[in-house]
Amino acid sequence: MVETLEIFRSGTTQARRSVRIGGAMALALAGLVTAGCANEIPLPGTAGDPTTAGAELRVLGYEAASDLGAAVRVYAQPGRLTVTTLGSSSCPDVPEITDVDVENQRVTLSIYMLGREGACTADLAPRTFELSVSGDLAFYEVEATRP
């Protein structure tokens, strides 16, 4: 759709000019409006619960956060741990493996709040991360800590 704007010049003679604002101009304007969003850092992980989980591991160090479940849930599959954290959707808690103790069959996760500019939303939303590991940690316990 093309919109026509009429501009009048003041003076002894009035000239009428039409300026056409076409689809290309509208798209350019829309691009400028959304350009600010393009500078934001994408959030790590995937919003929501895991689609395939594996064996659920016992997590030590975190109490249940709400009726939605534990603040940290960990599932093992050969070659990876699937970690779901429950926290602010705009400043999610991000897990990092800091130690794998084979002798005691324990994985230590450090949980960091992702630093973002501005305030974090006061909601509880699950965010899922897949972390690569060597071997199958299906019988391990997980100790989750916030440094």
Side-chain angles (χ1 to χ4, degrees):
M1 180 173 137
V2 175
E3 188 176 330
T4 302
L5 302 175
E6 293 186 2
I7 302 172
F8 296 95
R9 291 187 187 190
S10 58
T12 54
T13 60
Q14 287 188 343
R16 201 191 235 179
R17 288 186 348 168
S18 292
V19 178
R20 292 185 169 258
I21 301 176
M25 182 76 149
L27 286 175
L29 184 59
L32 288 174
V33 170
T34 60
C37 298
N39 293 331
E40 288 192 27
I41 299 170
L43 295 175
T46 305
D49 289 310
T51 54
T52 59
E56 186 168 5
L57 303 183
R58 182 172 170 221
V59 178
L60 308 170
Y62 265 79
E63 299 297 321
S66 72
D67 294 338
L68 298 175
V72 178
R73 295 185 306 269
V74 182
Y75 307 91
Q77 290 182 342
R80 82 169 172 222
L81 290 180
T82 301
V83 181
T84 300
T85 61
L86 188 62
S88 170
S89 63
S90 63
C91 303
D93 288 336
V94 179
E96 178 184 0
I97 297 173
T98 53
D99 187 46
V100 177
D101 182 348
V102 176
E103 185 176 322
N104 294 310
Q105 292 189 322
R106 180 170 286 183
V107 176
T108 303
L109 291 178
S110 290
I111 309 294
Y112 299 94
M113 181 183 278
L114 182 66
R116 309 231 340 142
E117 291 185 26
C120 298
T121 55
D123 60 348
L124 286 176
R127 190 145 201 96
T128 298
F129 305 84
E130 291 189 354
L131 307 176
S132 295
V133 296
S134 59
D136 188 359
L137 307 181
F139 298 104
Y140 281 53
E141 286 184 331
V142 176
E143 183 173 355
T145 61
R146 188 178 295 276

